[in-house]
């Protein structure tokens, strides 16, 4: 029985068809991955907001030191290597909610907090990561990171006047913003070094505009 061989034209046609299909499929897959990360980030922000709301309901305060003079607490996370922001305060607050030390124990095993400042009832309000995570800035630990490896930016109404004054330093924007509420959270999302605000994910609005 004689076997028919593919011609060069047939092989090139098949390769061209595969390339076209790959060109269509790859952007779709990348878009689905990006959407999945955004969904995960929004779920995290909702969980953190719920945990802080429950904490405040139990203790009538948020698990952070109150500024003096009275003002809102704006925990702006580091965006890239070399940034010096409120990462330590951010991690300490998350530790109060999870009851897990940010620094891993022996063998990267979560360690319960032996001493706490605000969560005197030792209630767990938020789930900590099952294993240490490595942030864009800092060493690995059990902190709460967004899907892009950065801490969430969190604003708390610690002057308790039911509004949040979000400064330009906190928002990374050209103008400040005041919103009604006592908790505001945002993720840098897919923003690159140019700080593209359209890439930010906000808990109090759908986009930057």
């Amino acid at each position: 029985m004689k076997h028919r061989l593919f011609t060069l034209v047939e092989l090139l046609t098949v390769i061209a068809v595969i390339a076209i299909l790959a060109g269509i499929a790859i952007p779709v897959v990348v878009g689905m991955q990006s959407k999945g990360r955004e969904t995960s980030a929004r779920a995290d922000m909702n969980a953190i907001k719920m945990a802080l709301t429950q904490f405040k309901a139990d203790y009538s305060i948020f698990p952070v030191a109150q500024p003096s003079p009275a003002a809102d607490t704006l925990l702006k996370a580091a965006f890239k290597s070399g940034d010096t922001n409120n990462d330590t305060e951010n991690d300490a607050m998350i530790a109060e909610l999870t009851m897990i030390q940010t620094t891993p124990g022996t063998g990267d095993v979560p360690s319960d907090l032996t001493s706490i400042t605000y969560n005197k009832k030792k209630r767990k309000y938020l789930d900590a990561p099952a294993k240490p995570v490595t942030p864009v800035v800092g060493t690995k630990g059990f902190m709460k990171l967004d899907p892009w490896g950065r801490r969430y930016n969190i604003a708390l109404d610690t002057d308790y006047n039911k509004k949040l004054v979000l400064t330009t330093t906190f928002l990374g924007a050209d103008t400040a913003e005041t919103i009604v509420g006592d908790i505001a959270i945002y993720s840098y999302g897919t923003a690159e070094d140019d700080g593209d605000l359209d890439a930010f994910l906000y808990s109090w609005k759908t986009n930057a505009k």
Side-chain angles (χ1 to χ4, degrees):
M1 182 176 179
K2 187 176 181 180
H3 295 283
R4 180 178 179 275
L5 301 178
F6 291 107
T7 66
L8 180 59
V9 172
E10 289 173 331
L11 288 174
L12 291 175
T13 301
V14 171
I15 292 172
V17 170
I18 292 174
I20 292 171
L21 292 175
I24 296 172
I26 290 174
V28 172
V29 172
V30 171
M32 291 176 63
Q33 290 178 335
S34 178
K35 197 66 178 178
R37 286 184 173 184
E38 179 179 334
T39 300
S40 176
R42 291 195 181 280
D44 275 348
M45 290 192 290
N46 287 335
I48 294 171
K49 188 173 183 179
M50 180 63 69
L52 287 166
T53 299
Q54 293 174 340
F55 189 99
K56 183 171 179 282
D58 283 347
Y59 294 103
S60 299
I61 60 170
F62 289 114
V64 293
Q66 295 186 22
S68 181
D72 295 328
T73 297
L74 307 180
L75 301 177
K76 183 177 176 63
F79 181 76
K80 57 185 177 180
S81 180
D83 283 354
T84 55
N85 287 295
N86 303 105
D87 296 339
T88 301
E89 294 91 336
N90 191 314
D91 292 346
M93 184 192 67
I94 293 298
E96 293 274 347
L97 298 175
T98 61
M99 294 301 296
I100 296 294
Q101 289 182 350
T102 301
T103 305
T106 304
D108 291 344
V109 176
S111 301
D112 293 341
L113 286 170
T114 54
S115 61
I116 54 177
T117 303
Y118 305 100
N119 193 355
K120 301 300 184 181
K121 299 178 183 177
K122 295 186 177 181
R123 282 191 58 187
K124 179 181 178 182
Y125 295 89
L126 184 68
D127 288 330
K131 59 183 180 181
V133 291
T134 303
V136 170
V137 177
T139 56
K140 69 178 179 179
F142 293 93
M143 67 281 291
K144 203 73 172 174
L145 302 181
D146 68 14
W148 297 272
R150 298 185 179 94
R151 295 167 178 83
Y152 290 93
N153 301 271
I154 302 173
L156 301 173
D157 174 31
T158 44
D159 56 2
Y160 303 99
N161 62 356
K162 289 298 180 182
K163 66 179 181 180
L164 285 165
V165 180
L166 307 180
T167 64
T168 53
T169 301
F170 178 73
L171 287 177
D174 294 332
T175 57
E177 184 173 350
T178 299
I179 63 174
V180 176
D182 54 4
I183 303 169
I185 306 171
Y186 78 85
S187 161
Y188 289 116
T190 58
E192 299 298 335
D193 288 347
D194 59 1
D196 177 17
L197 296 185
D198 288 334
F200 289 12
L201 304 177
Y202 298 84
S203 67
W204 66 97
K205 55 185 177 181
T206 56
N207 55 44
K209 296 180 180 179

